[in-house]
Structures are given as C-alpha cells and as structure tokens.
Amino acid sequence: MNAVKAILLKELKIEFRNKQMINSTLILSLMILASFRFAFSYVDSALTELASPILWVTFFFTAMFSLAPIYKREVDHGTKDGLLLAPISPSSIFFGKLLANFVVIMGLNLFSLALFFVFFTYEAPDMAALLSIVVLGTVGIAVLGNIISAISSNLSQSGIMLPVLLIPILLFSVVMTAVSTTAKIFAGSDIYGILDGIKLIFIFDIVFLASGYLLIDYIL
C-alpha cells in the first residue's frame, strides 16, 4: 500500500503541477457540450433521449484524452525502467496510476456533468442514481484505459493506437450499458429501477480490474 500511495501521489503531483492536460481536457469538455448545444438548438428540450448519449460521449472523449500520457510519459522520459527496477510489484504501479487516473477523470466528469445542466434545460433526475452510474462507469473507463494505455505506451503511434484498441472494447461494454441506464434515469427511474444496469457495469469493472491485476506483469 505504501508503494501504491507513492505512485498515486507522484501521478497527482505531475497532473496538477503541469495542469496542461487538465486544462486542455476541460476546454475539450466545454467544446463538446457547446457543439451538442448548438447542434440540437432547435430540438425540443424535453427530448430526454438525447441527454444520456450527450453525457457519455463527453465523458468518454475527455477520459480518453487524459488516459494517453499515463504510461507514455514514463517511456518518453526514461523513467519506466526505474519504476520496474524499484523493489515494488508491477501491480503496485498499476493500482497507483489507476487511482490517480480515476481521481482526475472523476473530477473532469463532475465538471462536465455540472456544465451539462448549464447548457441543457433538462429537469434534474435522481442524482443518487445518476452519480452511481457516473462513478461505476468512470471506474470501468479508468481501469480498461490504464490497461490499454500500458499496452500501447511502447508503440511509436501510441496516441492513435490507444483509441483504436480502447473504443471497440469499452464502447460495447461499459459505455453502452451506461448510456441505456442513464436514459432510464432521465426518464424518471430511481436507483432501484436501474439495479440491473448497476450490476452489469459493476461486473464489467470487476472483470477489467482482475484482468489488469493478472496481466500487468506481462504488459509492463
């Protein structure tokens, strides 16, 4: 746990000291939501079917933008070998980076969520249900994103390969389930009405987490 904590603090210091990635991602989130707002400016604001895909498209692309450098910068700066030579397990590196990435992505998603209700005049849904889906979906994105980021970090075109490898798996697992479940929330369901969706996303999260723990030694 000390090794995980050290990696977590290192990653957070890098993210918040530089702020370039965070600021760029905040602007990207703003641009995505503004684009949707202008694109659907003539659509009835009561059409709640649009709310869920708009939210998760924003979450997905802002998260993917922040996932790219998490392992790539270790390769670029020559610090990956130092991490692997340290007397810690590769799983500690994985969980430390995963927790840091989750904190950053969750913060970005909460910002996007608040911005969404500024741009769109939907009635506020059951926030406990909505936040539970956002948290579980963010965990899935962060876990699988870290695995794919570690795989693609040694490739010369890692920035291109990350979305190529990540989108097909994540889109047809966590994101599709989160979109359909969030649509039910905007349609009026409470947390008890979306338990099936919560269970399914939770299962995806556990499978991705177990896969990362078992495979990270070979990946790194």
Side-chain angles (χ1 to χ4, degrees):
M1 290 305 297
N2 288 333
V4 172
K5 181 180 177 182
I7 299 293
L8 167 64
L9 294 177
K10 175 186 83 72
E11 293 296 326
L12 291 179
K13 283 180 181 178
I14 292 172
E15 296 291 355
F16 290 102
R17 182 183 297 163
N18 188 9
K19 296 187 181 70
Q20 182 178 355
M21 187 280 295
I22 293 178
N23 291 336
S24 300
T25 311
L26 290 175
I27 294 171
L28 175 64
S29 174
L30 176 63
M31 291 175 62
I32 292 173
L33 287 171
S35 299
F36 278 123
R37 184 68 190 92
F38 289 123
F40 298 122
S41 58
Y42 296 104
V43 176
D44 185 2
S45 61
L47 195 62
T48 56
E49 290 85 352
L50 293 173
S52 179
I54 289 172
L55 261 182
W56 282 99
V57 165
T58 307
F59 291 163
F60 180 76
F61 283 104
T62 53
M64 191 166 58
F65 191 84
S66 65
L67 285 166
I70 195 77
Y71 286 92
K72 182 63 176 175
R73 60 175 166 240
E74 305 287 359
V75 176
D76 292 343
H77 298 158
T79 54
K80 181 180 178 181
D81 291 336
L83 277 177
L84 295 178
L85 289 171
I88 58 176
S89 65
S91 60
S92 299
I93 300 172
F94 173 70
F95 282 113
K97 286 181 174 291
L98 170 59
L99 289 173
N101 213 219
F102 171 76
V103 170
V104 172
I105 295 174
M106 192 66 217
L108 294 171
N109 285 351
L110 291 176
F111 170 80
S112 300
L113 185 62
L115 206 59
F116 171 83
F117 287 107
V118 172
F119 278 105
F120 296 91
T121 57
Y122 293 112
E123 292 185 8
D126 187 321
M127 293 308 296
L130 183 59
L131 288 176
S132 66
I133 290 298
V134 172
V135 170
L136 287 173
T138 303
V139 170
I141 293 172
V143 174
L144 186 59
N146 269 260
I147 297 171
I148 302 299
S149 181
I151 292 172
S152 63
S153 62
N154 288 316
L155 304 175
S156 58
Q157 300 295 329
S158 62
I160 297 174
M161 291 307 298
L162 176 65
V164 168
L165 296 172
L166 183 61
I167 289 175
I169 304 173
L170 197 58
L171 191 63
F172 293 103
S173 56
V174 172
V175 174
M176 284 187 66
T177 308
V179 168
S180 60
T181 307
T182 306
K184 292 180 182 178
I185 296 172
F186 276 95
S189 292
D190 59 9
I191 195 166
Y192 298 105
I194 58 163
L195 286 178
D196 289 341
I198 289 176
K199 291 175 183 176
L200 187 55
I201 297 176
F202 181 75
I203 290 170
F204 282 130
D205 292 349
I206 294 298
V207 170
F208 294 154
L209 197 61
S211 300
Y213 176 74
L214 294 172
L215 297 175
I216 195 64
D217 293 26
Y218 303 100
I219 294 171
L220 293 181

